Amino acid sequence: MAQSLKDLTPRQIVAELDQYIIGQHDAKRNVAIALRNRWRRMNAPDDMQREITPNNILLIGATGVGKTEIARRLAKLADAPFTKVEASKFTEVGYVGRDVESMVRDLVEQSVSMVKAAKKEQVQTRAQQMVEDTILDILIPPVKAAQSTGFVLEDRNADRIPDSDAELNERTRERFREKIRAGEMDDRKIEIEVQQSQVPNIGMIGGTVDDLSMMNIQEMIGGMMPRRGRKRKVSIAEAKKILLEEEAAKLIDMDEVKEEAIRRAENSGIIFIDEIDKVASNRGGGSGGPDVSREGVQRDLLPIVEGSAVNTKYGVINTDHILFIAAGAFHVSKPSDLIPELQGRFPIRVELQSLSEDDFFQILKAPKNALTKQYEAMMQAEGVDLTFQDDALREIAMIAFQVNAEIENIGARRLQTVMSQLLNDFMFDIPDVIGANAHVVVTKEMVREKLNELVKDHDLSQYIL
């Protein structure tokens, strides 16, 4: 799904998001513009690149309308480092708990993982060759030729009888190499040596230590401790995976990974701050109590969102050009309850609409990852075909919308509880009662039979739906 930002125009970004998210066109337009502006900034004159700052976005809407999904899909589309945090989990500096800088460190960790994965792909072929050599050395130790340090096998002489132990050994190794590649020997057990670092668990007495200091202490002690090998008897299939990780790690330049990861996080990183409304102070309700801590968290967020240097285990990262997307339902509080300085850091505000009955129908039918398609895939794994009739989907949408209106509006998440209640009997009976090659058709009558009585009984539906 990831594409070059150069190839993604705002209209194309919205079209990609439309494949997974129904409605919310204003939100999609704004995040599409913000993403395209990343590419525009990086291709602006050097003196202006430092001046162009991202327009951070505040998404306002009830739970389950697509706020988190929009941000997550946007990051995946751009192949950008992405991390999601809950503002309610942070505490003001001086209190025990997570500090706001940890969100930036999480972003860098994600960026490092992405860069390492990309580098592993580049060295995959070389690493696989080294893994094969290691396994062959265990199965058939090499025999050195008498007159040379190495031996080269010529294909044109492959049919002749080998005239030395070294040549016979090399031919045997090549035949076994082909068998290993083909997976013919995956079940055979071999003994390999696995490198492991002896890092002790560290506890601190007499004061609190922040996350960064603890990571640095553990990394320092881990570097001082000798790496010890441990013998393990595993199948060749498992040995391939273990050794491939080790060999790929040897071929990757970690300094280069760190530099590129920091650069990617700074220029294309996205931090999604959920539940921002939970740290908003209700100014009409007086001061004191938990509001002090809430306002403190907001003030701690200010320098991070505005742009500052944060120390991480991989180096210093500047947050000036990270895109921050904040989201909240704002049922109890209002965006204006945030301190003015923080409001100014989120100049783009988008209100997401509550989902209609027709939206629920489209969510069940249209997206690539629709719940109906997920259930079809799960039943297909058991050899059972599942089909939903359109009028059945409309009935499910109507019931989900009705329950949201009468009990609690949890948005599209209501569809999961309704679908689960509808199909649980089938999921339980497969494969014992309903065997392979069966065909299950969900009709409007079936939906009414299984769900209507439940919806009518409000006391029961509060617990189940």
Side-chain angles (χ1 to χ4, degrees), residues 17 34 70 85 90 104 110 162 186 227 261 275 299 330 348 389 433:
L17 294 175
I70 286 174
V85 297
F90 294 118
V104 182
Q110 178 67 18
D186 281 356
R227 293 182 68 86
E275 298 182 357
R299 295 199 178 278
F330 290 98
I348 309 298
Q389 294 181 354
V433 178

Side-chain angles (χ1 to χ4, degrees), residues 1 17 59 68 78 106 112 135 146 159 163 172 179 184 208 225 275 294 302 320 335 346 371 386 388 401 407 417 443:
M1 184 177 176
L17 294 175
L59 302 178
T68 306
D106 291 344
V112 168
I135 294 174
D159 293 333
D163 55 8
T172 305
K179 289 178 179 291
E184 296 176 15
T208 59
M225 300 287 287
E275 298 182 357
R294 289 175 187 169
L302 279 176
D320 302 65
F346 292 91
L371 268 176
L386 175 65
F388 291 88
F401 180 78
I407 300 176
T417 57
T443 63

